[in-house]
Amino acid sequence: MNFIDRLERRFGRFGVPDLMKYVIGINILGIVLELINPNVYDLYLSLDMYKVLHGQVWRLITFVLYPSVGRDAGFVVNLIWFAIWAYVYYSIGTTLERMWGAFRFTLFYIGGVIFVVLVTLITYLVMVPSLSAEGQAGLGAYLETGVTLAYLNQTLFLAFAAMFPDAQFLLYFIVPIKAKWMLIVYLVLNGWELVQCLMAGGIGGYYTAALIVGALVNFFLFYFFGKGKPGVHAAYRQKQRKAKFKQRAREPGGPRHRCAICGKTEEDAPSLEFRYCTKCEGNYEYCSEHLFTHEHVHRS
């Protein structure tokens, strides 16, 4: 049993179903705040480590309200790009959640947010000893301007492409291209941006480079530590659930669908979809959260 399996056994109830709905909702709230008063975010909500370390700890959470549409282009252009961003990343995020389950996807996304906070904090603490009090305050405000979670959102696509390399996208809504080729382009562009940041040097260059590395580290740690088959105890518990599933499935008047892993039915969670696994030997039905993550059953 790998590390993430053990975490899911202990804390699986803390997974957030339909997490991407909340992510997009937070972005919409950020846009509304930007329209009401563009200064509210910078004054009270941003990840300004100087102010965080002087008592404004809520900024460790509220910085996610930074609108993903950005601030450079006009409002209409930003709104169009946000609609495209929301559609693409909602589709990608919900697909990953169906594959991994709500807990694993929540862990992946929140882990990325934590990496952003840690990178910002470490950069600030490294630079602080050489600065005056005024310089420390200015550094805190300077660093937060680069925090938009853009690199974290891009790793959602990275994870999707790794899972579905042959999925097809329309580049610029015209050119069909497979996810695996876009994945290569993404890594090359990020690598080039990383080199440029390191060559440019300075606080901004090193900070941006650290954000890129942090987002990629979060993906690779999760991807590699999240792989593997369940251990002996997980397999034993899975067999118990399957036996219980068979017994309850024979009961008259019961639900039509029941997951062989978690035991949920269409009555417990109407939003779940249920499918039979073609790789399992026998009639084993799974909910959408466990269809891709269960251990296949093979008769000896």
Side-chain angles (χ1 to χ4, degrees):
M1 180 182 297
N2 59 58
F3 177 67
I4 295 182
D5 286 334
R6 291 194 290 270
L7 286 179
E8 187 172 15
R9 286 184 61 188
R10 294 191 60 183
F11 307 107
R13 63 185 182 278
F14 296 110
V16 181
D18 296 322
L19 177 63
M20 288 306 297
K21 289 183 179 179
Y22 300 104
V23 171
I24 293 173
I26 288 172
N27 273 267
I28 292 175
L29 180 57
I31 294 173
V32 172
L33 289 175
E34 189 79 4
L35 289 174
I36 295 174
N37 187 344
N39 297 320
V40 169
Y41 180 84
D42 295 323
L43 292 175
Y44 305 108
L45 306 175
S46 64
L47 190 60
D48 186 333
M49 279 299 168
Y50 177 83
K51 295 179 180 178
V52 169
L53 296 176
H54 285 76
Q56 298 183 16
V57 293
W58 64 81
R59 291 172 177 266
L60 294 173
I61 298 175
T62 58
F63 82 94
V64 300
L65 286 168
Y66 189 97
S68 294
V69 296
R71 297 174 166 183
D72 297 330
F75 173 73
V76 175
V77 175
N78 284 336
L79 201 59
I80 292 174
W81 279 113
F82 173 75
I84 296 172
W85 173 89
Y87 172 76
V88 171
Y89 281 97
Y90 177 78
S91 301
I92 290 175
T94 51
T95 300
L96 290 176
E97 183 177 326
R98 291 192 186 101
M99 282 190 61
W100 293 340
F103 173 77
R104 290 173 181 245
F105 182 69
T106 302
L107 182 64
F108 174 74
Y109 199 89
I110 293 180
V113 175
I114 293 173
F115 262 105
V116 170
V117 174
L118 289 177
V119 166
T120 307
L121 176 62
I122 292 171
T123 305
Y124 180 82
L125 293 179
V126 168
M127 298 300 300
V128 157
S130 61
L131 299 174
S132 62
E134 293 78 8
Q136 294 175 20
L139 175 64
Y142 175 78
L143 291 180
E144 62 85 12
T145 59
V147 179
T148 65
L149 297 182
Y151 297 109
L152 169 61
N153 290 329
Q154 290 174 12
T155 57
L156 293 180
F157 170 75
L158 187 67
F160 180 87
M163 298 292 178
F164 301 100
D166 293 323
Q168 185 170 280
F169 289 85
L170 289 178
L171 185 64
Y172 299 113
F173 305 101
I174 299 175
V175 182
I177 183 172
K178 289 187 176 181
K180 59 184 177 183
W181 303 122
M182 292 185 67
L183 171 61
I184 294 174
V185 172
Y186 168 84
L187 292 175
V188 170
L189 291 178
N190 271 261
W192 174 242
E193 184 179 2
L194 180 62
V195 171
Q196 285 185 313
C197 290
L198 294 175
M199 291 177 63
I203 298 174
Y206 293 133
Y207 178 56
T208 303
L211 286 175
I212 296 173
V213 172
L216 293 176
V217 166
N218 176 59
F219 163 71
F220 284 114
L221 284 177
F222 188 89
Y223 184 75
F224 287 107
F225 280 91
K227 296 178 69 175
K229 296 183 178 180
V232 176
H233 298 291
Y236 173 73
R237 293 182 62 185
Q238 183 172 326
K239 289 181 181 179
Q240 286 185 317
R241 287 192 292 265
K242 289 174 182 175
K244 190 179 297 184
F245 161 73
K246 289 182 178 180
Q247 179 181 356
R248 296 182 66 177
R250 290 192 293 265
E251 297 176 359
R256 296 179 58 188
H257 304 285
R258 187 182 303 277
C259 178
I261 300 296
C262 62
K264 290 182 180 178
T265 69
E266 72 274 15
E267 298 175 357
D268 300 322
S271 62
L272 285 179
E273 296 182 0
F274 295 84
R275 295 288 186 273
Y276 288 95
C277 179
T278 58
K279 295 183 179 180
C280 290
E281 297 182 8
N283 296 323
Y284 293 101
E285 190 175 20
Y286 304 94
C287 68
S288 54
E289 291 185 354
H290 295 101
L291 179 60
F292 297 97
T293 58
H294 68 274
E295 183 182 11
H296 297 301
V297 179
H298 300 286
R299 294 173 181 171
S300 57

